[in-house]
Each structure stands twice: as C-alpha cells, then as structure tokens.
Amino acid sequence: MAKIKNIVFDLGGVLIDLDHAQAVRRFKEIGVEDAEQLLDPYEQKGIFLEVENGTISAEEYCEKLRKHAGKDIPYKDIKHAWLGFITDTPQYKLDYLLKLREHYNVYLLSNTNPIIQEGWARTTQFTPAGRPIGAYFDKMYTSYEVGVTKPDRKIFDYMIADSSMIPAETLFVDDSKANIEVGRSLGFATYQPANGEDWREAIDALLK
C-alpha cells in the first residue's frame, strides 16, 4: 500500500451516530405517512433525494413536503424530523480528526442536505465544543453542493479532481458497503466501520 497522505470521512454512521427509525418516526408524526419508503440510511428517495443531490433547494423541498403531506408543516418541525437521524456527535472522534490533520489532509465526503448542514452542522450547535463541522476538515464535499450523491462515482471524481488527491494515497472511511465498493474500484484504501463504532484504533493500525 502506498503511503497515506489523505483521509476521507463519511459523516452519518461514521462521525455521528445514526438512528434511522427515529427519523422515520418523526417524519410520520408530522404527516409524512410513507416516510419509511422515502428515507434510507444511505441514499434517500423522491424529494428527500432531490434535496440531497441539490436538484431542489431547502425551501423548495419544504414546499414539496407540505404538498406531499397535505398540510402546512412549520420549518422547525421539518428540521426536527431530519435531526431525528442524529443520536450523538462523539467529541472524541472530532478531536481525533484534529490530530490527524497534523499529518494528513482530512476531507469530508457526505450525502447530506442544507437543512442538516446550514441548520445544525455548520453552526456552533454541532458539538459540545461549540465548533461548526467545517473546523474539523481541510475541505468538505457534500452531495447537495456537488450535485450528486454517493455511490455515484461522479462525486468521487469531483473530489479527486478538485483536491488533486491520488486515490492510492488516500484512505476512505464510510459505513456503506456500496460506497466502499466504489471507493475501492477507484483505488482508495478503505475501511467500513459499523454505526457507532470507535474506529480510532483501526484507523491508526491502517496508517502505520
């Protein structure tokens, strides 16, 4: 294996702990009865996918969701439902990223949306330390800003071209089997943690 110079992290299931069932429950509570069919732990469907791949804005998504549910849902309730995915943001993992950045380029590659990002992750509410998510990475590549979601290889190609990273010198950490397979096919070293796993020792071992 080539010497690793870059590390790319997924967000949900890797840096933050996820609860898919809680998100489904919250969306059902605000009137989205088919939430189970639309919400996916790895890649959303319908208007949920549209807002994550940047096809529609947060405002357009909220309007479409209200029409879909047939009722006027306040924005704060929509945001609360989305944040149902998140059960914990372990500070120790983020502190570990800061240590990694002393020796490596550290990137985020995430399927996410402007409601979670602008309304929470990019604010001081993101962690107990009061830092926004951007404080922990050299650069972030999010699906709604790039315009494509994983596992489509176009988002990987965009990140590679923009950052000038060499896949053989890059470790890709993601909890999705489909995403890991694409990363591996492009030449990345990979690690697939379980949701909630403390993967620091495993990453250390790979970097030695």
Side-chain angles (χ1 to χ4, degrees):
M1 190 168 81
K3 181 174 168 52
I4 297 296
K5 296 179 181 176
N6 318 291
I7 309 172
V8 178
F9 286 95
D10 177 32
L11 180 60
V14 177
L15 296 171
I16 58 179
D17 299 346
L18 296 184
D19 187 340
H20 175 252
Q22 178 174 265
V24 168
R25 191 162 58 249
R26 286 190 188 179
F27 272 105
K28 282 185 173 178
E29 284 167 3
I30 63 172
V32 185
E33 291 174 10
D34 57 346
E36 211 141 18
Q37 285 72 52
L38 294 166
L39 287 170
D40 187 273
Y42 304 114
E43 188 179 31
Q44 314 303 345
K45 296 177 178 67
I47 57 171
F48 289 80
L49 177 59
E50 288 176 18
V51 75
E52 293 223 327
N53 66 20
T55 307
I56 57 174
S57 67
E59 293 75 22
E60 290 168 324
Y61 163 80
C62 290
E63 280 307 308
K64 285 191 170 193
L65 188 72
R66 289 170 186 132
K67 281 182 185 168
H68 182 80
K71 60 191 281 196
D72 187 22
I73 310 168
Y75 175 78
K76 67 177 177 58
D77 292 352
I78 296 171
K79 177 180 162 184
H80 178 71
W82 270 110
L83 292 178
F85 268 113
I86 298 138
T87 57
D88 190 24
T89 308
Q91 187 63 47
Y92 72 84
K93 292 183 177 180
L94 299 170
D95 291 341
Y96 178 80
L97 297 189
L98 295 178
K99 286 182 182 170
L100 287 176
R101 286 179 69 191
E102 294 170 12
H103 305 285
Y104 305 92
N105 301 310
V106 177
Y107 302 98
L108 177 77
L109 182 65
S110 174
N111 285 354
T112 185
N113 63 71
I115 296 169
I116 283 179
Q117 287 294 311
E118 314 299 337
W120 172 68
R122 298 187 190 192
T123 75
T124 54
Q125 302 299 308
F126 178 60
T127 72
R131 287 177 168 173
I133 189 171
Y136 296 96
F137 295 95
D138 291 291
K139 187 147 189 188
M140 303 195 300
Y141 297 94
T142 63
S143 58
Y144 75 97
E145 289 172 311
V146 176
V148 62
T149 51
K150 297 178 290 183
D152 191 318
R153 69 165 284 167
K154 285 179 193 161
I155 194 168
F156 292 87
D157 290 339
Y158 179 92
M159 175 181 68
I160 292 165
D162 183 76
S163 66
S164 301
M165 68 173 62
I166 297 168
E169 297 174 348
T170 306
L171 174 62
F172 174 52
V173 184
D174 196 297
D175 66 323
S176 160
K177 185 171 182 283
N179 297 342
I180 286 289
E181 285 172 355
V182 174
R184 203 173 284 148
S185 75
L186 292 169
F188 290 95
T190 61
Y191 182 70
Q192 184 184 351
N195 181 32
E197 176 186 333
D198 179 356
W199 33 255
R200 290 175 297 175
E201 282 189 15
I203 299 295
D204 283 342
L206 285 167
L207 295 173
K208 276 178 185 168

